[in-house]
């Protein structure tokens, strides 16, 4: 018998459970049967890669519930992609009691969540994450949205799911590069709030090849617990200091890299990995951590088959311009997440421009 564990995200009337198990197929199937027995309509959203790679699990969970299969990739998280999902919900006559299951990585979770937030002014949805990144990060916390030409995640809503089913066996078919990208977010959690997790990753890196399902499950649970605690106290990222913004460790640098290199050149997690190294460098320059700590961060990142530096140089000017366009930067002035030590982060305002530049150059900016 597999162990099924539950973690609750406590948000008052928006509270919901995250269920963890190696194979939650039966649990999801039972939930759908329960919903249908109550007269609620169920619809399912996934992408073509997942529909193919996980056809058996998909069939076992959803039977013949209406299914929309969209193209894989970030481009689907767009106005056009949203239109397709809304047209699908309309065609299936999903009413206000209807429920959407978003089965996929962050693209499907963000798109499906946003469609659920807007269809009939909001219906319930469940997340069934299928990438490591979605399991540890995007499926939890209720941030949903799509991209515009003008930038990533510019349109969205806070809309918490009704529940999250983390079935770690789904990771068996995830490409190794995507697995590594998710590991960057895991390292992020260790750095920002869980020194024991960081030690564990240092001693036994989490890679697609070496991770047995039990290791992954325990680590995913730990990351979700950390994210849940942060989201519970700052659901809408309005805290003036710390709070949900801490989850952006490495992301101000990382988003600039993704943007300046052209979306698709680096996977999000790869850019974040480099961003974590840059953020560590900045934290050292600000006098919070030792130079040896920077090397420690680089070692953990490299051990997870992730880049510590840009693969090809990017001009600093382009990175700086991309950084100042970032929506989070625009909203709150230049605010960085820095490491106070390995395992504890803080937000930091008024970081001298030359330290940011030096940190970018240290990871390969030209
Ligand atoms: N809402 C949030 O809080 C939040 C947090 C972090 C990231 N995000 C968003 O998440 C997105 C990135 O998510 P992602 O990294 O999961 O990418 P993704 O959804 O594009 O999935 C990565 C690739 O793996 C494939 N795939 C997924 N699961 C698979 C499986 N089990 N087997 C085989 N192939 C599989 C997908 O088809 C895709 O090609 C970005 O749009 C980012 O903005 C959101
Ligand atoms: Zn991220």
């Amino acid at each position: 018998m597999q162990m099924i564990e539950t973690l609750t995200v406590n948000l008052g009337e928006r509270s919901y459970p995250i269920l963890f198990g190696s194979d939650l197929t039966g649990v999801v199937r039972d939930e759908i049967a329960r919903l249908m027995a109550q007269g609620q309509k169920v619809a399912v959203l996934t992408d073509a890669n997942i529909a193919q790679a996980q056809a058996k699990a998909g069939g076992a969970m959803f039977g013949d519930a209406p299914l929309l299969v969209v193209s894989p990739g970030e481009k689907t998280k767009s106005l056009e992609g949203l239109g397709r999902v809304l047209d699908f919900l309309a065609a299936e006559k999903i009413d206000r009691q209807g429920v959407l299951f978003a089965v996929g990585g962050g693209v499907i979770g963000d798109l499906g969540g946003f469609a659920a937030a807007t269809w009939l002014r909001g219906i319930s949805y469940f997340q069934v994450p299928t990438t490591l990144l979605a399991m540890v990060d995007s499926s939890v916390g209720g941030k949903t949205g799509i991209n515009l030409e003008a930038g990533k995640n510019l349109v969205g809503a806070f809309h918490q799911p009704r529940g999250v089913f983390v079935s770690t066996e789904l990771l068996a078919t995830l490409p190794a590069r995507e697995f590594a990208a998710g590991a960057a977010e895991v390292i992020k959690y260790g750095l920002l709030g869980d020194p024991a997790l960081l030690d564990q990753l240092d001693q036994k890196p989490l890679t697609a090849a070496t991770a047995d399902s039990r290791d992954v499950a325990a680590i995913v649970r730990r990351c979700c617990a950390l994210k849940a605690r942060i989201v519970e106290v700052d659901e809408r990222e309005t805290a003036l200091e710390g709070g949900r913004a801490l989850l952006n460790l490495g992301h101000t640098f990382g988003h600039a890299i993704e943007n300046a290199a052209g979306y698709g050149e680096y996977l999000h997690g790869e850019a974040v990995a480099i961003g974590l190294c840059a953020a560590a460098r900045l934290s050292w320059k600000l006098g919070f951590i030792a130079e040896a700590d920077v090397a420690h961060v680089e070692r953990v990142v490299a051990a997870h088959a992730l880049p510590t530096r840009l693969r090809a140089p990017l001009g600093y000017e382009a990175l700086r311009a991309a950084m100042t366009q970032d929506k989070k930067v625009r909203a709150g002035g230049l605010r960085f997440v820095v490491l106070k030590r390995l395992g504890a982060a803080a937000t930091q305002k008024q970081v001298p421009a030359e330290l940011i530049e030096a940190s970018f150059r240290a990871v390969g900016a030209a």
Side-chain angles (χ1 to χ4, degrees):
M1 263 303 277
Q2 66 163 333
M3 290 263 293
I4 296 177
E5 299 197 42
T6 304
L7 175 81
T8 303
V9 184
N10 294 297
L11 291 166
E13 61 184 12
R14 291 182 306 288
S15 297
Y16 55 95
I18 310 174
L19 270 63
F20 303 92
S22 54
D23 177 8
L24 297 181
T25 314
V27 180
V28 174
R29 191 180 50 229
D30 291 350
E31 178 65 21
I32 288 174
R34 196 184 65 80
L35 291 166
M36 286 168 136
Q38 292 175 172
Q40 293 180 270
K41 287 191 172 171
V42 171
V44 184
L45 174 69
T46 196
D47 79 29
N49 289 342
I50 300 152
Q52 190 185 32
Q54 292 290 343
K56 203 168 147 228
M61 287 188 278
F62 304 110
D64 51 12
L67 170 70
L68 177 66
V69 180
V70 294
S71 309
E74 194 69 33
K75 284 207 171 69
T76 290
K77 225 181 90 173
S78 60
L79 283 170
E80 199 194 336
L82 177 68
R84 284 204 61 197
V85 182
L86 295 175
D87 285 343
F88 162 69
L89 296 174
E92 295 299 336
K93 301 192 169 51
I94 300 299
D95 59 17
R96 296 191 64 184
Q97 274 64 52
V99 178
L100 180 67
F101 279 74
V103 185
V107 164
I108 293 300
D110 283 11
L111 175 67
F114 189 48
T118 49
W119 174 246
L120 305 179
R121 298 200 180 84
I123 62 167
S124 295
Y125 74 112
F126 287 87
Q127 294 271 17
V128 183
T130 64
T131 65
L132 182 58
L133 182 136
M135 288 182 186
V136 298
D137 198 348
S138 60
S139 68
V140 173
K143 278 193 185 178
T144 72
I146 57 170
N147 308 321
L148 295 182
E149 289 296 325
K152 268 195 76 174
N153 299 327
L154 285 179
V155 180
F158 286 98
H159 187 48
Q160 299 292 344
R162 228 7 139 62
V164 184
F165 297 97
V166 179
S167 203
T168 47
E169 272 181 10
L170 294 174
L171 296 174
T173 55
L174 187 67
R177 189 177 169 198
E178 296 289 349
F179 189 97
E185 305 283 2
V186 177
I187 299 169
K188 175 191 83 175
Y189 285 111
L191 284 171
L192 74 87
D194 191 339
L197 172 61
L198 190 66
D199 281 346
Q200 190 185 338
L201 296 172
D202 195 16
Q203 271 143 41
K204 192 176 175 204
L206 183 69
T207 65
T210 62
D212 67 45
S213 183
R214 200 175 299 159
D215 263 1
V216 186
I219 287 176
V220 168
R221 212 162 52 236
R222 217 160 155 148
C223 295
C224 287
L226 197 54
K227 179 155 185 182
R229 281 209 304 277
I230 290 174
V231 169
E232 281 164 3
V233 296
D234 186 21
E235 186 182 1
R236 291 181 170 240
E237 204 170 323
T238 51
L240 294 176
E241 278 179 23
R244 193 163 181 166
L246 296 179
L247 297 170
N248 296 327
L249 178 66
H251 280 61
T252 304
F253 291 107
H255 285 154
I257 292 167
E258 278 183 276
N259 180 297
Y263 288 105
E265 186 61 30
Y266 290 89
L267 294 182
H268 172 71
E270 292 169 346
V272 167
I274 302 169
L276 291 173
C277 296
R281 183 73 53 173
L282 177 64
S283 308
W284 167 58
K285 287 182 185 294
L286 286 165
F288 298 136
I289 63 173
E291 195 169 14
D293 292 330
V294 182
H296 186 136
V297 173
E298 289 170 347
R299 183 175 76 225
V300 176
V301 166
H304 286 80
L306 286 164
T308 57
R309 296 171 58 81
L310 296 172
R311 293 189 200 110
L314 289 171
Y316 173 66
E317 252 324 296
L319 289 162
R320 195 194 56 76
M323 194 173 61
T324 47
Q325 270 170 27
D326 198 57
K327 104 176 132 49
K328 300 216 165 109
V329 173
R330 268 192 321 221
L334 261 188
R335 189 165 69 144
F336 278 83
V337 184
V338 295
L339 294 167
K340 286 298 175 99
R341 51 180 194 280
L342 298 189
T347 47
Q348 179 87 15
K349 280 190 207 140
Q350 286 164 341
V351 177
E354 61 272 21
L355 298 191
I356 298 167
E357 178 173 351
S359 304
F360 260 131
R361 291 197 189 278
V363 296

